[in-house]
Amino acid sequence: AEHLIRLRSGGGRGDDQLEPYHDRIREAVRAALTPAQLASHHRHLAEAMEAAEGVAPDRLAYHFDGAAIPEKAALYAERAGDQAQQALAFDHAVQMYRLTLAQRTLTEARRRRIEQRLGDALAALGRGIEAATAYQAAARGEHGEDALRLRRLAAEQLLRNGKLAQGTELLRSVLAEVGVPLPRSAARSILGTALVRARILLRGMHHTERPTEALDPALRRRQECLWAATYCLYGYRPLLALELHARFLLLSLELGEPGRLAQALGFEALMRMILTPGRPDIYSRLLAQAEQLAERSQQPYIQALVALLAIGVAQMSGDWPLAIQRSEKTLSILRERCSGVTWEVHLCQTWRLTNQLMIGELALVEKSLPELIGALHERGDTYQLSMIKSVIKPLPLEKFVEETTR
């Protein structure tokens, strides 16, 4: 018998496991059991583990699920998912939340709660299409602010990952709920931008800083939706994004919350760089203000977003070495001070690759390309994949990318 099984220490009380030396042994034993016998063994193991102290909830969930005791399987799977989420073990959190949802005894309210957590874990992994599906499932049956937020998150994930038509229509309905029409033509976007810009010109760029808790919740929701629309649509429909950004900038100046205002001024710096490239004094000043506000917000993710926008400013101004330098700084913030930012990390790497190409660092690009392309392909991120392909199309690396993503 000692040649068939072994004891593996889990490092803590109750975590030691007996396991077969080989998967074929496990398979042979399972094949010899009837479904009723297998469920009975699972139940005995689950009950013994439950009576002991310190057994990991994912093990309990597995055995209660195998014993067809859905109430306890859901209880421990949800607990294991929450623990994994807190430990930033998002892959394991996804597995546990899906096991929870597989149990047929969940109430509708509990199902929606688990779908939302599943969406959060998937979004953290950069698996945006799956995250959008989970958020939309969580939104079904919800009302008011919660439903709006979940649908906004779903739209963001769809647009971030290349689902333009589906994401835009969902975003259109979200914006309508907060009183913002989404123009259907370029002419309407240009007119809308001009009108909002006139209001900004009349009021000026002055602002009074206010904490988040002092703001009207309805205006905060509108602000969140405007930022999501601006950030996600810019790469697809820049004219539409210009109007949405103008609305976001105006509202952010009026509300004065440092984090959102930092995002607004950072994006404004990028827009001024594109529209008035001969005025570096203007966009440099705006970017400096955005960076100062981001620091005062004490939110690493806001600081990373502003740093991402600073990469764009350097890239569009043709200062590619500075853009690469800023990419390294941004990656450091994302990796060391943020969590659940797989999409943002890959975006920063894509921009760094673009700027390396611009200064002829083909060897560095060829070295980093396989891992990045593989990760984007695994996540199904067609937006960033198409961005890379468009940049390297004139180069001999294009064939390499096609082979990598095949």
Side-chain angles (χ1 to χ4, degrees), residues 107-140:
T107 64
E108 272 302 299
R110 189 177 179 193
R111 180 196 61 77
R112 291 194 297 268
R113 184 176 72 240
I114 301 303
E115 288 280 13
Q116 178 181 337
R117 294 177 189 172
L118 173 62
D120 292 341
L122 287 164
L125 291 167
R127 290 158 59 179
I129 307 304
E130 296 172 81
T133 300
Y135 284 138
Q136 288 177 294
R140 286 194 287 272

mmCIF file of all heavy atoms in Angstrom, residues 107-140:
data_model
loop_
_atom_site.group_PDB
_atom_site.id
_atom_site.type_symbol
_atom_site.label_atom_id
_atom_site.label_comp_id
_atom_site.label_asym_id
_atom_site.label_seq_id
_atom_site.Cartn_x
_atom_site.Cartn_y
_atom_site.Cartn_z
ATOM 1 N N THR A 107 -30.320 31.318 -3.571
ATOM 2 C CA THR A 107 -31.381 32.301 -3.780
ATOM 3 C C THR A 107 -30.953 33.250 -4.899
ATOM 4 O O THR A 107 -29.766 33.343 -5.236
ATOM 5 C CB THR A 107 -31.634 33.113 -2.509
ATOM 6 O OG1 THR A 107 -30.443 33.878 -2.210
ATOM 7 C CG2 THR A 107 -31.974 32.204 -1.325
ATOM 8 N N GLU A 108 -31.895 33.980 -5.470
ATOM 9 C CA GLU A 108 -31.570 34.908 -6.545
ATOM 10 C C GLU A 108 -30.619 35.999 -6.063
ATOM 11 O O GLU A 108 -29.682 36.383 -6.760
ATOM 12 C CB GLU A 108 -32.844 35.530 -7.113
ATOM 13 C CG GLU A 108 -33.478 34.731 -8.227
ATOM 14 C CD GLU A 108 -32.516 34.526 -9.392
ATOM 15 O OE1 GLU A 108 -32.083 35.524 -10.000
ATOM 16 O OE2 GLU A 108 -32.176 33.367 -9.692
ATOM 17 N N ALA A 109 -30.843 36.494 -4.853
ATOM 18 C CA ALA A 109 -29.985 37.560 -4.322
ATOM 19 C C ALA A 109 -28.557 37.060 -4.137
ATOM 20 O O ALA A 109 -27.584 37.756 -4.462
ATOM 21 C CB ALA A 109 -30.542 38.077 -3.002
ATOM 22 N N ARG A 110 -28.441 35.831 -3.645
ATOM 23 C CA ARG A 110 -27.100 35.270 -3.436
ATOM 24 C C ARG A 110 -26.439 34.986 -4.785
ATOM 25 O O ARG A 110 -25.227 35.202 -4.944
ATOM 26 C CB ARG A 110 -27.205 33.994 -2.604
ATOM 27 C CG ARG A 110 -25.855 33.448 -2.156
ATOM 28 C CD ARG A 110 -26.047 32.228 -1.289
ATOM 29 N NE ARG A 110 -24.783 31.663 -0.863
ATOM 30 C CZ ARG A 110 -24.651 30.458 -0.310
ATOM 31 N NH1 ARG A 110 -25.740 29.722 -0.093
ATOM 32 N NH2 ARG A 110 -23.463 29.997 0.042
ATOM 33 N N ARG A 111 -27.205 34.482 -5.748
ATOM 34 C CA ARG A 111 -26.647 34.221 -7.068
ATOM 35 C C ARG A 111 -26.083 35.496 -7.678
ATOM 36 O O ARG A 111 -24.980 35.509 -8.233
ATOM 37 C CB ARG A 111 -27.725 33.634 -7.985
ATOM 38 C CG ARG A 111 -27.206 33.334 -9.400
ATOM 39 C CD ARG A 111 -28.331 33.133 -10.385
ATOM 40 N NE ARG A 111 -29.174 34.311 -10.524
ATOM 41 C CZ ARG A 111 -28.837 35.400 -11.221
ATOM 42 N NH1 ARG A 111 -27.662 35.479 -11.827
ATOM 43 N NH2 ARG A 111 -29.661 36.434 -11.296
ATOM 44 N N ARG A 112 -26.829 36.598 -7.565
ATOM 45 C CA ARG A 112 -26.350 37.861 -8.128
ATOM 46 C C ARG A 112 -25.072 38.316 -7.431
ATOM 47 O O ARG A 112 -24.151 38.833 -8.073
ATOM 48 C CB ARG A 112 -27.439 38.934 -8.001
ATOM 49 C CG ARG A 112 -28.639 38.692 -8.898
ATOM 50 C CD ARG A 112 -29.512 39.935 -8.998
ATOM 51 N NE ARG A 112 -30.079 40.325 -7.711
ATOM 52 C CZ ARG A 112 -31.260 39.926 -7.261
ATOM 53 N NH1 ARG A 112 -32.000 39.101 -7.986
ATOM 54 N NH2 ARG A 112 -31.717 40.348 -6.102
ATOM 55 N N ARG A 113 -25.007 38.118 -6.121
ATOM 56 C CA ARG A 113 -23.804 38.516 -5.381
ATOM 57 C C ARG A 113 -22.584 37.729 -5.838
ATOM 58 O O ARG A 113 -21.496 38.291 -6.037
ATOM 59 C CB ARG A 113 -24.049 38.302 -3.884
ATOM 60 C CG ARG A 113 -22.881 38.775 -3.015
ATOM 61 C CD ARG A 113 -23.207 38.646 -1.545
ATOM 62 N NE ARG A 113 -23.214 37.244 -1.112
ATOM 63 C CZ ARG A 113 -24.257 36.625 -0.588
ATOM 64 N NH1 ARG A 113 -25.413 37.256 -0.434
ATOM 65 N NH2 ARG A 113 -24.175 35.360 -0.193
ATOM 66 N N ILE A 114 -22.754 36.420 -6.046
ATOM 67 C CA ILE A 114 -21.630 35.585 -6.469
ATOM 68 C C ILE A 114 -21.243 35.907 -7.917
ATOM 69 O O ILE A 114 -20.053 35.945 -8.260
ATOM 70 C CB ILE A 114 -21.979 34.091 -6.338
ATOM 71 C CG1 ILE A 114 -22.337 33.757 -4.881
ATOM 72 C CG2 ILE A 114 -20.794 33.233 -6.779
ATOM 73 C CD1 ILE A 114 -21.267 34.086 -3.881
ATOM 74 N N GLU A 115 -22.228 36.170 -8.780
ATOM 75 C CA GLU A 115 -21.918 36.536 -10.165
ATOM 76 C C GLU A 115 -21.086 37.809 -10.199
ATOM 77 O O GLU A 115 -20.150 37.940 -11.003
ATOM 78 C CB GLU A 115 -23.214 36.741 -10.962
ATOM 79 C CG GLU A 115 -23.982 35.467 -11.275
ATOM 80 C CD GLU A 115 -23.416 34.692 -12.449
ATOM 81 O OE1 GLU A 115 -22.292 34.984 -12.887
ATOM 82 O OE2 GLU A 115 -24.111 33.774 -12.909
ATOM 83 N N GLN A 116 -21.398 38.768 -9.337
ATOM 84 C CA GLN A 116 -20.623 40.007 -9.298
ATOM 85 C C GLN A 116 -19.186 39.734 -8.867
ATOM 86 O O GLN A 116 -18.235 40.252 -9.464
ATOM 87 C CB GLN A 116 -21.260 41.014 -8.348
ATOM 88 C CG GLN A 116 -20.456 42.304 -8.240
ATOM 89 C CD GLN A 116 -21.074 43.300 -7.282
ATOM 90 O OE1 GLN A 116 -22.259 43.258 -7.015
ATOM 91 N NE2 GLN A 116 -20.256 44.197 -6.757
ATOM 92 N N ARG A 117 -19.023 38.909 -7.831
ATOM 93 C CA ARG A 117 -17.666 38.590 -7.374
ATOM 94 C C ARG A 117 -16.904 37.817 -8.443
ATOM 95 O O ARG A 117 -15.691 38.018 -8.616
ATOM 96 C CB ARG A 117 -17.732 37.789 -6.075
ATOM 97 C CG ARG A 117 -18.290 38.587 -4.904
ATOM 98 C CD ARG A 117 -18.392 37.728 -3.668
ATOM 99 N NE ARG A 117 -19.119 38.412 -2.602
ATOM 100 C CZ ARG A 117 -19.486 37.846 -1.469
ATOM 101 N NH1 ARG A 117 -19.193 36.576 -1.246
ATOM 102 N NH2 ARG A 117 -20.147 38.526 -0.553
ATOM 103 N N LEU A 118 -17.609 36.931 -9.149
ATOM 104 C CA LEU A 118 -16.980 36.220 -10.262
ATOM 105 C C LEU A 118 -16.524 37.214 -11.326
ATOM 106 O O LEU A 118 -15.412 37.110 -11.855
ATOM 107 C CB LEU A 118 -17.961 35.210 -10.847
ATOM 108 C CG LEU A 118 -17.523 34.488 -12.126
ATOM 109 C CD1 LEU A 118 -16.271 33.656 -11.882
ATOM 110 C CD2 LEU A 118 -18.649 33.601 -12.662
ATOM 111 N N GLY A 119 -17.377 38.190 -11.642
ATOM 112 C CA GLY A 119 -17.007 39.216 -12.613
ATOM 113 C C GLY A 119 -15.782 39.987 -12.173
ATOM 114 O O GLY A 119 -14.886 40.261 -12.981
ATOM 115 N N ASP A 120 -15.708 40.332 -10.888
ATOM 116 C CA ASP A 120 -14.547 41.064 -10.366
ATOM 117 C C ASP A 120 -13.263 40.252 -10.532
ATOM 118 O O ASP A 120 -12.218 40.789 -10.921
ATOM 119 C CB ASP A 120 -14.752 41.402 -8.893
ATOM 120 C CG ASP A 120 -15.853 42.432 -8.666
ATOM 121 O OD1 ASP A 120 -16.217 43.141 -9.616
ATOM 122 O OD2 ASP A 120 -16.352 42.523 -7.519
ATOM 123 N N ALA A 121 -13.342 38.951 -10.213
ATOM 124 C CA ALA A 121 -12.156 38.095 -10.313
ATOM 125 C C ALA A 121 -11.723 37.931 -11.767
ATOM 126 O O ALA A 121 -10.536 37.989 -12.094
ATOM 127 C CB ALA A 121 -12.436 36.730 -9.684
ATOM 128 N N LEU A 122 -12.685 37.745 -12.661
ATOM 129 C CA LEU A 122 -12.365 37.606 -14.089
ATOM 130 C C LEU A 122 -11.792 38.903 -14.654
ATOM 131 O O LEU A 122 -10.844 38.886 -15.447
ATOM 132 C CB LEU A 122 -13.618 37.198 -14.854
ATOM 133 C CG LEU A 122 -14.084 35.757 -14.648
ATOM 134 C CD1 LEU A 122 -15.523 35.583 -15.140
ATOM 135 C CD2 LEU A 122 -13.161 34.774 -15.356
ATOM 136 N N ALA A 123 -12.358 40.039 -14.252
ATOM 137 C CA ALA A 123 -11.840 41.331 -14.703
ATOM 138 C C ALA A 123 -10.414 41.537 -14.215
ATOM 139 O O ALA A 123 -9.565 42.070 -14.943
ATOM 140 C CB ALA A 123 -12.745 42.457 -14.217
ATOM 141 N N ALA A 124 -10.138 41.114 -12.985
ATOM 142 C CA ALA A 124 -8.786 41.246 -12.444
ATOM 143 C C ALA A 124 -7.784 40.438 -13.251
ATOM 144 O O ALA A 124 -6.616 40.819 -13.380
ATOM 145 C CB ALA A 124 -8.760 40.791 -10.986
ATOM 146 N N LEU A 125 -8.236 39.325 -13.823
ATOM 147 C CA LEU A 125 -7.370 38.485 -14.645
ATOM 148 C C LEU A 125 -7.276 38.982 -16.087
ATOM 149 O O LEU A 125 -6.538 38.412 -16.886
ATOM 150 C CB LEU A 125 -7.896 37.041 -14.648
ATOM 151 C CG LEU A 125 -7.771 36.285 -13.326
ATOM 152 C CD1 LEU A 125 -8.604 35.011 -13.373
ATOM 153 C CD2 LEU A 125 -6.316 35.963 -13.016
ATOM 154 N N GLY A 126 -8.065 40.021 -16.411
ATOM 155 C CA GLY A 126 -8.071 40.528 -17.771
ATOM 156 C C GLY A 126 -8.936 39.724 -18.710
ATOM 157 O O GLY A 126 -8.880 39.917 -19.927
ATOM 158 N N ARG A 127 -9.769 38.838 -18.182
ATOM 159 C CA ARG A 127 -10.651 38.012 -19.009
ATOM 160 C C ARG A 127 -11.986 38.742 -19.159
ATOM 161 O O ARG A 127 -13.003 38.391 -18.580
ATOM 162 C CB ARG A 127 -10.803 36.626 -18.375
ATOM 163 C CG ARG A 127 -9.509 35.825 -18.462
ATOM 164 C CD ARG A 127 -9.382 34.722 -17.449
ATOM 165 N NE ARG A 127 -10.444 33.730 -17.527
ATOM 166 C CZ ARG A 127 -10.509 32.660 -16.727
ATOM 167 N NH1 ARG A 127 -9.569 32.469 -15.799
ATOM 168 N NH2 ARG A 127 -11.505 31.803 -16.842
ATOM 169 N N GLY A 128 -11.949 39.795 -19.968
ATOM 170 C CA GLY A 128 -13.027 40.767 -20.003
ATOM 171 C C GLY A 128 -14.347 40.248 -20.546
ATOM 172 O O GLY A 128 -15.408 40.639 -20.060
ATOM 173 N N ILE A 129 -14.307 39.398 -21.566
ATOM 174 C CA ILE A 129 -15.559 38.914 -22.152
ATOM 175 C C ILE A 129 -16.308 38.058 -21.125
ATOM 176 O O ILE A 129 -17.525 38.207 -20.951
ATOM 177 C CB ILE A 129 -15.287 38.097 -23.436
ATOM 178 C CG1 ILE A 129 -14.418 38.901 -24.402
ATOM 179 C CG2 ILE A 129 -16.600 37.693 -24.086
ATOM 180 C CD1 ILE A 129 -14.997 40.251 -24.776
ATOM 181 N N GLU A 130 -15.588 37.192 -20.438
ATOM 182 C CA GLU A 130 -16.211 36.376 -19.391
ATOM 183 C C GLU A 130 -16.696 37.258 -18.244
ATOM 184 O O GLU A 130 -17.771 37.020 -17.677
ATOM 185 C CB GLU A 130 -15.223 35.344 -18.865
ATOM 186 C CG GLU A 130 -14.774 34.307 -19.870
ATOM 187 C CD GLU A 130 -13.651 33.442 -19.317
ATOM 188 O OE1 GLU A 130 -13.939 32.504 -18.561
ATOM 189 O OE2 GLU A 130 -12.482 33.740 -19.641
ATOM 190 N N ALA A 131 -15.905 38.274 -17.900
ATOM 191 C CA ALA A 131 -16.303 39.187 -16.825
ATOM 192 C C ALA A 131 -17.586 39.912 -17.185
ATOM 193 O O ALA A 131 -18.488 40.070 -16.341
ATOM 194 C CB ALA A 131 -15.185 40.189 -16.540
ATOM 195 N N ALA A 132 -17.694 40.363 -18.435
ATOM 196 C CA ALA A 132 -18.906 41.057 -18.876
ATOM 197 C C ALA A 132 -20.129 40.162 -18.754
ATOM 198 O O ALA A 132 -21.202 40.602 -18.325
ATOM 199 C CB ALA A 132 -18.738 41.535 -20.321
ATOM 200 N N THR A 133 -19.981 38.897 -19.116
ATOM 201 C CA THR A 133 -21.092 37.948 -19.003
ATOM 202 C C THR A 133 -21.526 37.806 -17.552
ATOM 203 O O THR A 133 -22.729 37.785 -17.245
ATOM 204 C CB THR A 133 -20.675 36.569 -19.571
ATOM 205 O OG1 THR A 133 -20.313 36.719 -20.942
ATOM 206 C CG2 THR A 133 -21.800 35.569 -19.441
ATOM 207 N N ALA A 134 -20.549 37.715 -16.636
ATOM 208 C CA ALA A 134 -20.872 37.583 -15.215
ATOM 209 C C ALA A 134 -21.551 38.843 -14.686
ATOM 210 O O ALA A 134 -22.542 38.765 -13.939
ATOM 211 C CB ALA A 134 -19.601 37.284 -14.418
ATOM 212 N N TYR A 135 -21.041 40.012 -15.065
ATOM 213 C CA TYR A 135 -21.659 41.265 -14.598
ATOM 214 C C TYR A 135 -23.093 41.403 -15.115
ATOM 215 O O TYR A 135 -23.987 41.849 -14.389
ATOM 216 C CB TYR A 135 -20.828 42.463 -15.074
ATOM 217 C CG TYR A 135 -19.545 42.682 -14.308
ATOM 218 C CD1 TYR A 135 -18.357 43.009 -14.979
ATOM 219 C CD2 TYR A 135 -19.505 42.603 -12.916
ATOM 220 C CE1 TYR A 135 -17.173 43.233 -14.285
ATOM 221 C CE2 TYR A 135 -18.326 42.811 -12.217
ATOM 222 C CZ TYR A 135 -17.167 43.122 -12.907
ATOM 223 O OH TYR A 135 -15.998 43.347 -12.224
ATOM 224 N N GLN A 136 -23.316 41.020 -16.363
ATOM 225 C CA GLN A 136 -24.669 41.116 -16.906
ATOM 226 C C GLN A 136 -25.613 40.138 -16.214
ATOM 227 O O GLN A 136 -26.786 40.452 -15.977
ATOM 228 C CB GLN A 136 -24.649 40.881 -18.419
ATOM 229 C CG GLN A 136 -24.047 42.049 -19.197
ATOM 230 C CD GLN A 136 -23.959 41.789 -20.686
ATOM 231 O OE1 GLN A 136 -23.226 40.919 -21.144
ATOM 232 N NE2 GLN A 136 -24.731 42.530 -21.459
ATOM 233 N N ALA A 137 -25.105 38.959 -15.887
ATOM 234 C CA ALA A 137 -25.918 37.997 -15.139
ATOM 235 C C ALA A 137 -26.245 38.547 -13.752
ATOM 236 O O ALA A 137 -27.360 38.377 -13.246
ATOM 237 C CB ALA A 137 -25.181 36.664 -15.026
ATOM 238 N N ALA A 138 -25.274 39.221 -13.129
ATOM 239 C CA ALA A 138 -25.504 39.809 -11.808
ATOM 240 C C ALA A 138 -26.502 40.949 -11.868
ATOM 241 O O ALA A 138 -27.249 41.195 -10.907
ATOM 242 C CB ALA A 138 -24.180 40.303 -11.216
ATOM 243 N N ALA A 139 -26.538 41.651 -13.004
ATOM 244 C CA ALA A 139 -27.437 42.803 -13.135
ATOM 245 C C ALA A 139 -28.895 42.391 -13.318
ATOM 246 O O ALA A 139 -29.800 43.167 -12.998
ATOM 247 C CB ALA A 139 -27.003 43.667 -14.316
ATOM 248 N N ARG A 140 -29.103 41.173 -13.824
ATOM 249 C CA ARG A 140 -30.479 40.722 -14.038
ATOM 250 C C ARG A 140 -31.199 40.578 -12.702
ATOM 251 O O ARG A 140 -30.754 39.841 -11.824
ATOM 252 C CB ARG A 140 -30.499 39.397 -14.810
ATOM 253 C CG ARG A 140 -30.170 39.559 -16.282
ATOM 254 C CD ARG A 140 -30.523 38.304 -17.065
ATOM 255 N NE ARG A 140 -29.581 37.222 -16.793
ATOM 256 C CZ ARG A 140 -28.456 37.031 -17.468
ATOM 257 N NH1 ARG A 140 -28.126 37.847 -18.469
ATOM 258 N NH2 ARG A 140 -27.660 36.025 -17.176
#
